[in-house]
Amino acid sequence: MPNALVFRPDYEVLTHYTSKYLEAYVVRSAAELGFSVTDLYAEEAVSNRFFQEIDRQDLVIFGTHGLEDRLYAQNGTILFSSCSGDERLSGKICFALACRSASKLGYSAVDKGCRCYFGWLQDFVVIIDESYDPLEDPYAGSFLRPVVNGINAMLSSYIYGRRLNEIAEITYNTVFDSFNQQIAYWRTVESPTASQMLTYLYWDRDNFIPIFREEVYVPTPVYIPPSLRGVLAIGVVAMPLIIKAIS
């Protein structure tokens, strides 16, 4: 039986949202697919517990805050960095819903033996309306459903014995196509919110990449308009919506 670890801190609004999505759509589906799941949630999502469990894992899924060179644990403590700890990802396939970690940490981990690191080159942005329950929020769901769809595609591809390049292609295309479905929907919505939604849906879609030690799968480059580069602000309030980045 293959092993999968889900790392999901829950201590403020954004980690609460991501944790709820991972619990509802990933932890359960992984178990149903036949994985032995280690679910490190909230106070269990800390460095010492992670390193106790990591060596026996085949796949690792992070839903947490990040920077270029590190991932964070519960309450904003450092989980590990590209200088120390990422070597423990050797032999694993990793999916990190965390800002910017693919820009440096992912490459460092792969150089040290990680089989594949799926992640984001820039901030992963979510628009949230806190008047909803997280799983019912129509704004946040448009950003987080493509992510859980991609994770589940990775899990099912692995359990069915796909080769690494096939896992990468299926996972990447699932995320990309799921974002396109959300983009197509918001193009039909006539409201100022739709314009914001489209800006950040394109952004999140186009900053997602798979990283390998060898280029066994290279996604088709996507043109990112200059108007969408460098436009992010963390914690910007657009009442009643809140724009958040997983950073």
Side-chain angles (χ1 to χ4, degrees), residues 68 174 196:
E68 291 88 346
T174 299
Q196 285 186 322

Side-chain angles (χ1 to χ4, degrees), residues 14-221:
L14 201 49
T15 52
H16 181 61
Y17 265 71
T18 57
S19 174
K20 286 296 185 183
Y21 271 82
L22 291 175
E23 177 186 32
Y25 300 114
V26 173
V27 174
R28 296 173 188 175
S29 65
E32 291 170 357
L33 282 167
F35 285 90
S36 174
V37 181
T38 300
D39 182 22
L40 298 183
Y41 166 64
E43 297 304 325
E44 286 283 289
V46 291
S47 182
N48 66 327
R49 288 288 294 118
F50 176 80
F51 287 113
Q52 286 172 5
E53 300 289 348
I54 187 60
D55 288 344
R56 66 185 184 88
Q57 306 301 324
D58 300 298
L59 290 88
V60 185
I61 298 149
F62 300 98
T64 189
H65 291 296
L67 289 175
E68 291 88 346
D69 63 347
R70 69 192 63 181
L71 294 178
Y72 289 94
Q74 181 73 6
N75 297 324
T77 59
I78 294 177
L79 177 60
F80 61 81
S81 71
S82 56
C83 298
S84 175
D86 61 336
E87 71 278 359
R88 299 287 292 276
L89 300 181
S90 179
K92 325 296 181 192
I93 297 174
C94 300
F95 192 114
L97 175 57
C99 281
R100 311 180 206 172
S101 70
S103 66
K104 182 176 180 180
L105 176 63
Y107 287 98
S108 174
V110 168
D111 283 343
K112 296 172 185 176
C114 177
R115 296 183 64 200
C116 181
Y117 189 100
F118 296 98
W120 273 263
L121 292 167
Q122 299 290 340
D123 289 343
F124 181 91
V125 180
V126 182
I127 294 180
I128 290 171
D129 185 342
E130 292 187 75
S131 66
Y132 289 92
D133 176 271
L135 298 180
E136 303 298 325
D137 186 333
Y139 306 101
S142 289
F143 296 91
L144 295 174
R145 280 194 295 270
V147 175
V148 297
N149 288 347
I151 294 170
N152 284 326
M154 177 186 71
L155 292 168
S156 60
S157 299
Y158 184 91
I159 207 77
Y160 292 124
R162 299 280 192 173
R163 297 190 303 272
L164 186 58
N165 65 320
E166 293 176 312
I167 294 172
E169 183 173 4
I170 291 167
T171 302
Y172 176 84
N173 287 338
T174 299
V175 172
F176 193 87
D177 292 344
S178 295
F179 270 113
N180 281 344
Q181 291 172 16
Q182 297 299 326
I183 288 166
Y185 166 74
W186 284 101
R187 281 176 173 168
T188 69
V189 177
E190 296 182 2
S191 76
T193 302
S195 176
Q196 285 186 322
M197 292 293 293
L198 288 168
T199 295
Y200 295 116
L201 286 168
Y202 279 116
W203 177 271
D204 288 347
R205 183 197 70 178
D206 296 345
N207 278 293
F208 177 67
I209 63 166
I211 301 170
F212 297 90
R213 190 172 184 82
E214 297 178 359
E215 293 184 350
V216 294
Y217 172 69
V218 180
T220 303

